[in-house]
Amino acid sequence: MKRKILVTGGTGFIGSHTTVELIQAGYDVVIVDNLSNSSADVVDGIEKITGVRPAFEKVDCLDYSALEHVFQKYTDISGIIHFAASKAVGESVQKPLLYYRNNLNSLINLLQLMPEYHVKGIIFSSSCTVYGQPDPENLPVTEQAPIKKAESPYGNTKQICEEIITDDIKSGAPIHAILLRYFNPIGSHPSAIIGEMPNGVPANLIPYLTQTAMGIRKELSVFGNDYNTPDGSCIRDYIYIVDLAKAHVAAMAHILDDKMTTPVDVFNIGTGKGNSVLELIKTFEECTGVKLNYKIVGRRAGDIEQVWGNVDKANKELGWKAQHTLAEALSSAWKWQQELRKRGIM
Ligand code: UFG
């Protein structure tokens, strides 16, 4: 029988790509999403790509009884991948209670239900934001690097959620957990059937960049060229979304096939390589042939100067490695932007 995985936030950007990879790896998927930041049409897209329609329940993970009903309806869920969360750094500063309520309580509800419904493991979407700005000798950053005080309520929810899971397991909860600390996910499925769908004016680099290339935005602002980096712009570890999605499949197999050496473990998920904003723009122009209108402006408050990951642990223990180049990821993002134009969405 196929193993059944509950994917919360499964119609979102990372959730939808992960659902595709899970289905293609032979899992059954049940998506739970409240559609607060995504659309049910994404389920059609997933079906179009995979030929399989995942089960979909419009449920808010804050609603304990509705969530419990999902476990009663789909009786044999083996694992959970928990994406459902609020994720805008700036908004979290304006609405901290919304972020703490959504992100913490959703996780607590799932953890509470897992033992009762014999769910073996959970994968939690964490972020390299927990490292803050690593000290220069700690770059590329490993999982052992110290956790720094969070810069925003959003970042704090990631740290607290990691602690909630760890404490729950320490207390004897009969579950396993993998915390995946993502670097910067970009791009879209090669089919351009699903992709990133930001609401309003994008805060993140890639959707702003592709919207500028499309003429929706006048110009891209590069936030700072006076950082202590080779070209002065910030450095990040940009990972292709399909590679990131596959890391979840590897992590789920690690749990379900009893490969874990400790009941809760943490892995960096990135490429192991850093690129600056200016390098990224140059790569985009080269691989798409589109000239980008951009200007250098002042630094953005709260930005980390440079961070990229040491991903040896995931390579060795999960048998997973990012396969795609930055140019491939950027080409897919551009293809998706063109698809949105074709569909008359943007
Ligand atoms: N940037 C620009 N112009 C823009 C947008 C971004 O120059 O219009 C730059 C930023 O200064 C930064 C880089 O592009 O150097 C990436 O910025 P993003 O906003 O795309 O991503 P961040 O690295 O700031 O944030 C991401 C996730 C967060 C997560 C954080 C962890 O979006 O959810 O990584 O470091 F918390």
Side-chain angles (χ1 to χ4, degrees):
M1 209 175 69
K2 284 187 175 183
R3 285 161 162 173
K4 198 173 286 170
I5 308 299
L6 179 72
V7 178
T8 75
T11 54
F13 176 41
I14 310 178
S16 58
H17 287 81
T18 299
T19 298
V20 165
E21 297 305 319
L22 284 168
I23 292 172
Q24 289 179 339
Y27 289 94
D28 266 344
V29 176
V30 179
I31 292 176
V32 157
D33 203 303
N34 67 359
L35 302 180
S36 62
N37 198 19
S38 60
S39 150
D41 298 346
V42 173
V43 181
D44 301 334
I46 293 167
E47 181 178 10
K48 207 162 160 195
I49 295 170
T50 62
V52 177
R53 191 169 185 84
F56 171 70
E57 299 290 336
K58 184 174 181 297
V59 163
D60 191 323
C61 294
L62 290 180
D63 184 342
Y64 187 87
S65 61
L67 199 55
E68 177 156 34
H69 185 70
V70 173
F71 287 94
Q72 287 162 346
K73 181 168 170 187
Y74 304 93
T75 45
D76 46 359
I77 291 170
S78 325
I80 299 173
I81 306 185
H82 181 43
F83 295 108
S86 303
K87 63 167 188 180
V89 177
E91 186 190 41
S92 80
V93 177
Q94 307 302 322
K95 302 176 183 169
L97 297 185
L98 174 84
Y99 274 67
Y100 287 115
R101 181 181 292 118
N102 269 354
N103 296 5
L104 271 45
N105 289 349
S106 297
L107 173 69
I108 292 168
N109 285 344
L110 289 168
L111 292 175
Q112 192 131 18
L113 286 161
M114 285 177 72
E116 199 178 330
Y117 292 90
H118 308 291
V119 182
K120 187 165 175 182
I122 183 165
I123 296 174
F124 175 68
S125 294
S126 190
S127 163
C128 68
T129 194
V130 301
Y131 301 122
Q133 176 59 65
D135 297 333
E137 67 273 18
N138 285 340
L139 280 172
V141 70
T142 69
E143 291 84 354
Q144 277 80 48
I147 302 294
K148 297 256 172 77
K149 187 173 164 25
E151 291 271 350
S152 67
Y154 160 79
N156 207 20
T157 67
K158 293 296 171 192
Q159 296 189 3
I160 298 171
C161 284
E162 287 197 1
E163 289 171 2
I164 289 173
I165 293 171
T166 306
D167 288 345
D168 186 40
I169 289 180
K170 224 187 270 171
S171 80
I175 60 168
H176 290 74
I178 290 184
L179 318 174
L180 295 182
R181 291 182 183 152
Y182 313 148
F183 286 76
N184 288 53
I186 62 165
S188 92
H189 195 266
S191 63
I193 293 173
I194 56 171
E196 188 171 11
M197 202 67 111
N199 259 340
V201 181
N204 294 116
L205 178 60
I206 301 308
Y208 205 105
L209 184 154
T210 58
Q211 288 188 15
T212 305
M214 185 53 82
I216 299 166
R217 313 275 160 212
K218 197 166 134 269
E219 61 190 355
L220 172 73
S221 296
V222 173
F223 298 136
N225 69 345
D226 58 350
Y227 284 100
N228 185 24
T229 60
D231 66 21
S233 64
C234 291
I235 295 177
R236 296 286 184 276
D237 183 339
Y238 295 96
I239 174 166
Y240 181 43
I241 185 70
V242 176
D243 283 329
L244 175 66
K246 286 183 172 160
H248 296 80
V249 179
M252 189 49 84
H254 198 64
I255 295 177
L256 300 182
D257 296 340
D258 299 316
K259 299 270 175 59
M260 290 186 74
T261 50
T262 165
V264 52
D265 212 345
V266 53
F267 295 93
N268 282 343
I269 301 296
T271 66
K273 190 173 177 302
N275 284 104
S276 73
V277 177
L278 292 173
E279 279 172 347
L280 185 144
I281 291 173
K282 189 162 169 278
T283 307
F284 178 84
E285 291 185 330
E286 281 168 3
C287 70
T288 61
V290 179
K291 188 98 191 72
L292 195 78
N293 197 17
Y294 69 91
K295 68 165 182 216
I296 312 284
V297 301
R299 294 181 176 194
R300 180 171 71 175
D303 258 343
I304 301 287
E305 179 176 274
Q306 46 186 325
V307 63
W308 67 100
N310 176 317
V311 288
D312 292 349
K313 191 178 173 201
N315 293 171
K316 281 193 199 107
E317 296 182 29
L318 300 180
W320 168 91
K321 201 174 177 27
Q323 303 288 343
H324 293 83
T325 63
L326 180 63
E328 287 168 328
L330 291 172
S331 301
S332 77
W334 180 230
K335 189 174 170 193
W336 170 244
Q337 185 66 60
Q338 290 171 301
E339 172 66 21
L340 289 175
R341 175 54 56 91
K342 261 189 238 152
R343 291 189 202 171
I345 296 172
M346 252 187 253

